[in-house]
Amino acid sequence: MADTTGSAFDIVVLGGGSGGYAAALRGAQLGLNVALVEESKLGGTCLHWGCIPTKAFLHAAQLADDAREGAHFGVHTELKGIDMAGVQQYKDSVIGRLYKGLQGLIKSRKITVIEGHGRLVAKDTVEVDGQRYTGQHIVVATGSYARSLPGLEIGGRILTSTEALDLTEVPKSVIVLGGGVIGSEFASVWKSFGADVTIIEALPHLVANEDEALSKAFERAFRKRGIKFNLGVRFAGVTQDENGVHVSLEDGKTFDAEYLLVAVGRGPRTADLGYEEQGLTLDRGFVITNERLHTGVGNVYAVGDIVPGLQLAHRGFAQGIFVAEEIAGLGPQPIVESGIPRVTYSEPEVASVGLTEAKAKEVHGADAVEVLEYNLGGNGKSQILGTAGFVKLVRQKDGPVIGVHMIGARVGELIGEGQLIVNWEAYPEDVAALVHAHPTQNEALGEAHLALAGKPLHAHN
């Protein structure tokens, strides 16, 4: 790569994860001269240590469950075990193909990739390992890291999701500290692989940010699968030895296992990067922006996990596109956080978009909100798949649908229509008039809206 020290760019992007590379690709597509700074691998956490590898594990876990349960469908199979070396090879091959494709895209758009550790040293300058690069606009997109708790050191048998993805054997037993998305997904994988799993969560529910009806159904499903969990009590401490880990809670309960997975959320990667020195406002490490993702300093924008809100790759990706179009003068519409879909890719899956019932009643008033649950038992494809669950709709009374919430196998694939319904402020009658293919799980969304529009067919009014 040619020496571009001192070169002036239209945009310098600091961080090559989902938000950063999206800003770079869209900016270059719009004819801007873009530099992209990344100290590790293009694609960031999502591609290499997050979304993609965990979903590869979850697919392998699904295949294990299918093999184990084949007799129920008249297909007699035998699960001989989990070959973690093979699972790892499969995971790495998926990552490798996507990584190669991303590198090709970046190269084809003639984006200057600068490898190394970058810092913001002026409102228009990023320094990378002693060399400086000037940008008319700066986009900071430095992502997040796996959090721990005070006094809880990672190492040995105490893992974060990063180390858990590299295990070369299936643990006999695991304690998962944290019952949010990450903890629940790993718990689901390891149970399918044959491990004994216990989740410890300080909040009253698993996946506690979801609608309470989904959280309770999720807990019932995990309990049925044999995944144990302890809710509403805080972690107190852990010791480890050659045999495993020994975890204690504040109520005096103790748990033993081979490994402890710490899945208590992700923190913004903003320390020692020059942000505060250059005047960016930080709150608990997060970069504060306005609705147009501008930091209030020079021409500096921020996207992705370092901006308060949902820490989701697709959110960062959308923000990256938004900022590139903002810089190019296209005046894009601000991203509405409540319109961003959320999925937990466990067994069962949880998918949602928009307001929960509780939040909707808080915003609009209890008397101004109407809800409906449609049981997947009335859906033909769900019966074929052997999955249970439901679709829950939240609407403003006599108004649009403002929340779509689902639980069941594969419901993450249905959230695309759900986000269109919520973001386009569709009325139940609008969706009820659409023809959904039969037999599909997608049909459940149509039938739920039929019921909410006052003309249920496979549901009781």
Side-chain angles (χ1 to χ4, degrees), residues 203 205-212 215 310 342 352 356:
L203 294 174
H205 291 292
L206 299 180
V207 290
N209 290 332
E210 297 292 348
D211 189 275
E212 188 173 349
S215 295
L310 297 167
R342 311 171 292 275
S352 60
T356 64

Side-chain angles (χ1 to χ4, degrees), residues 107-123:
K107 184 177 181 180
S108 71
R109 298 277 171 87
K110 296 181 171 51
I111 295 166
T112 299
V113 177
I114 301 165
E115 298 176 356
H117 179 72
R119 296 184 76 255
L120 190 66
V121 295
K123 296 175 184 179

Side-chain angles (χ1 to χ4, degrees), residues 372 374 432 446-461:
L372 178 136
Y374 174 80
E447 295 243 13
H449 283 85
L450 275 168
L452 195 54
K455 43 185 178 181
L457 296 185
H458 291 99
H460 298 291
N461 206 2

Side-chain angles (χ1 to χ4, degrees), residues 332-353:
Q333 288 293 313
I335 297 166
V336 179
E337 288 276 318
S338 63
I340 298 172
R342 311 171 292 275
V343 184
T344 303
Y345 296 89
S346 50
E347 173 51 48
E349 289 186 351
V350 172
S352 60
V353 62

Side-chain angles (χ1 to χ4, degrees), residues 13 15-24 139 141 303-304 313 316-317 319-321:
V13 182
S18 300
Y21 82 68
V139 179
V303 302
F317 188 83
Q319 289 179 335
I321 294 171

